Amino acid sequence: MATQAALYEDLAADLHLSWSEAELPERERTKHVHRLHPYLGKFVPQLVEALLERYVRPGGRVLDPFAGSGTTLVQCLESGYDAVGVDVAAFNCLLMRVKTTEYELDRLETDLRRALAHGGRSRARATAYVREWFAPDAAAELLHFRSIVDDYEHADVLRVVLARAARSARLTTHFDLDFPREPQREPYWCHKHRRTCTPVREAGKFLSRYLLDTLARLEAFQEVRRPGCTARVVHSDSTSVDLEGRFDAIVTSPPYPGLIDYHEQHRYAYEILGLDDRRERELGAAAAGTSRRVIERYVDGVSTVLARSSAQLPDGAPVLVVVNDRRDLYPDILRRSGLRLADRLERHVNRRTGRRAGEYFESVLVCVRET
Ligand SMILES: C[S@@+](CC[C@H](N)C(=O)[O-])C[C@H]1O[C@@H](n2cnc3c(N)ncnc32)[C@H](O)[C@@H]1O
């Protein structure tokens, strides 16, 4: 495989929007709240930053109808824009709310430190899912934490900490954290660490570590967010949601058929927090497969979302869609949405931290509504 240096030399992409590991190291891509919780399928904040700077009038109001973990919203707050994010997945909305809320830092710190001191174990009987995916001690610690969450002012922050700890404490191998198929109960040969690893037995250490890490990340973001800018999170299906007001731009990365199940990747959070599961409304869910009928439903759904969202823009305002369209679906989607492609930028996506670059490109479709 090509090294990053070789790859970047021949890159026909828009270099301005492509960054090697050396130019944009992982700690920058995952700075402050961007790493509050793992999320598969997000774009990097620096891409949003560059797109806002290039295409959106300063101080404008931005809509992301597939807002995911909230990268667009967080970057808007940092770059001085207002933002609205819609997502059909309840956990993603929880994560976005926690990232974008403005906190009184003293109160937040007092609250989180009080929760830190309140470790314990629940004797309540766990659900079948929890019994299957967690060792008994880990389950008892997680369920205890869940039982105290509602007593705190910053309950949503604690819910995100709980979900993150649950993710780490599952009976999984280290190399299959995203979509583990079955619980791993015995020691196993770990391809990631190149040694024998043992499945996790407890959750308390993760709860403590993530409480402190979350506090530090929320504090760091309060330092850099622009005062007065606001973000609103809407838990809804974007094919039918009614949003109020006008927007100056759309910045979004839609789901893509057959790639990721956005509810399923956070299954532990839905199970432990009891969140509203609307997976049947998810466009392009991998579980639905990629039959012609499924693809047609996807094209129809994304077209509806882009048409409805762009109807709330003034003439000539940018609709920026980030996608790796390997099935060549977007010419038809744009036509059906009443959008015209004004420019198409190709960018290299740096998905690896090592020397191997990984040949993965995606496009930024710069569109405007047909008049
Ligand atoms: C590619 S991800 C967006 C990631 C985002 N750019 C980020 O950086 O976190 C696509 C998102 O679309 C959401 N989604 C899928 N179908 C939807 C629908 N019908 N309405 C609203 N959101 C939907 C998924 O839940 C997922 O979070």
Side-chain angles (χ1 to χ4, degrees):
M1 194 177 290
T3 63
Q4 287 214 339
L7 183 68
Y8 274 71
E9 260 171 37
D10 333 319
L11 214 54
D14 181 338
L15 274 173
H16 204 65
L17 298 179
S18 306
W19 300 274
S20 68
E21 185 62 29
E23 289 165 322
L24 186 58
E26 195 186 357
R27 67 168 186 284
E28 282 298 314
R29 305 196 299 268
T30 57
K31 63 185 174 176
H32 51 70
V33 292
H34 295 295
R35 177 155 288 171
L36 271 201
H37 190 286
Y39 176 100
L40 197 66
K42 59 183 166 196
F43 46 28
V44 291
Q46 288 77 11
L47 173 62
V48 179
E49 183 179 22
L51 293 177
L52 291 172
E53 211 175 286
R54 242 189 228 199
Y55 295 105
V56 190
R57 73 160 181 85
R61 186 168 183 248
V62 175
L63 170 63
D64 186 346
F66 298 111
S69 66
T71 312
T72 302
L73 273 60
V74 170
Q75 188 56 49
C76 279
L77 293 180
E78 195 172 333
S79 296
Y81 296 80
D82 291 325
V84 174
V86 186
D87 205 285
V88 76
F91 181 70
N92 301 353
C93 292
L94 170 69
L95 195 52
M96 285 194 270
R97 278 202 310 275
V98 167
K99 288 179 177 182
T100 56
T101 294
E102 223 172 330
Y103 298 96
E104 251 184 65
L105 290 180
D106 289 349
R107 290 172 78 121
L108 177 70
E109 177 164 7
T110 309
D111 214 30
L112 265 51
R113 289 198 183 275
R114 193 158 67 87
L116 189 63
H118 205 127
R121 289 169 185 215
S122 165
R123 296 214 190 118
R125 183 166 164 75
T127 59
Y129 174 88
V130 171
R131 287 199 309 276
E132 184 181 7
W133 282 96
F134 297 92
D137 285 349
E141 288 165 329
L142 293 168
L143 294 181
H144 168 74
F145 197 81
R146 189 190 64 183
S147 73
I148 64 166
V149 156
D150 287 339
D151 303 338
Y152 289 80
E153 182 188 344
H154 299 87
D156 276 351
V157 177
L158 297 183
R159 288 188 181 99
V160 168
V161 171
L162 174 58
R164 189 172 168 197
R167 182 180 193 274
S168 299
R170 284 170 307 166
L171 290 170
T172 58
T173 59
H174 289 135
F175 50 84
D176 196 13
L177 286 164
D178 290 327
F179 293 106
R181 273 167 290 277
E182 53 191 36
Q184 176 71 37
R185 300 183 180 281
E186 304 302 327
Y188 58 96
W189 175 252
C190 180
H191 305 298
K192 189 169 165 192
H193 298 114
R194 302 196 156 277
R195 60 178 158 82
T196 300
C197 287
T198 307
V200 173
R201 302 268 159 230
E202 48 142 351
K205 65 179 180 193
F206 294 116
L207 287 166
S208 310
R209 190 191 305 162
Y210 296 154
L211 264 168
L212 294 173
D213 183 66
T214 299
L215 177 60
R217 289 179 179 280
L218 291 176
E219 283 172 347
F221 183 53
Q222 304 306 300
E223 291 281 308
V224 296
R225 65 183 286 165
R226 231 30 113 73
C229 293
T230 58
R232 195 160 78 85
V233 176
V234 181
H235 179 207
S236 191
D237 177 345
S238 284
T239 59
S240 53
V241 69
D242 280 320
L243 297 172
E244 281 174 11
R246 301 287 280 171
F247 295 92
D248 297 292
I250 292 167
V251 178
T252 197
S253 64
Y256 204 73
L259 283 186
I260 297 176
D261 286 313
Y262 286 94
H263 280 79
E264 185 58 26
Q265 70 162 303
H266 303 125
R267 169 87 187 271
Y268 47 91
Y270 287 85
E271 294 279 352
I272 288 183
L273 297 172
L275 299 173
D276 175 16
D277 190 323
R278 300 187 192 170
R279 68 180 65 207
E280 76 290 347
R281 309 294 311 166
E282 212 184 285
L283 290 170
T290 52
S291 64
R292 257 181 53 193
R293 205 165 52 87
V294 168
I295 300 279
E296 175 51 36
R297 211 183 308 134
Y298 169 85
V299 168
D300 196 47
V302 176
S303 308
T304 302
V305 173
L306 292 178
R308 287 172 59 96
S309 310
S310 58
Q312 287 177 267
L313 301 178
D315 286 347
V319 178
L320 307 169
V321 181
V322 179
V323 69
N324 173 349
D325 186 17
R326 57 182 183 192
R327 293 174 194 274
D328 201 26
L329 304 176
Y330 274 74
D332 189 27
I333 289 177
L334 297 189
R335 192 181 50 71
R336 291 202 207 180
S337 322
L339 293 174
R340 177 171 60 78
L341 188 65
D343 200 1
R344 180 181 180 129
L345 315 172
E346 301 298 325
R347 66 177 293 268
H348 174 253
V349 182
N350 173 24
R351 298 198 297 181
R352 290 173 193 268
T353 51
R355 273 187 295 279
R356 295 183 313 160
E359 306 266 356
Y360 183 82
F361 291 83
E362 68 187 8
S363 312
V364 180
L365 309 178
V366 181
C367 313
V368 286
R369 209 179 48 222
E370 295 277 13
T371 45

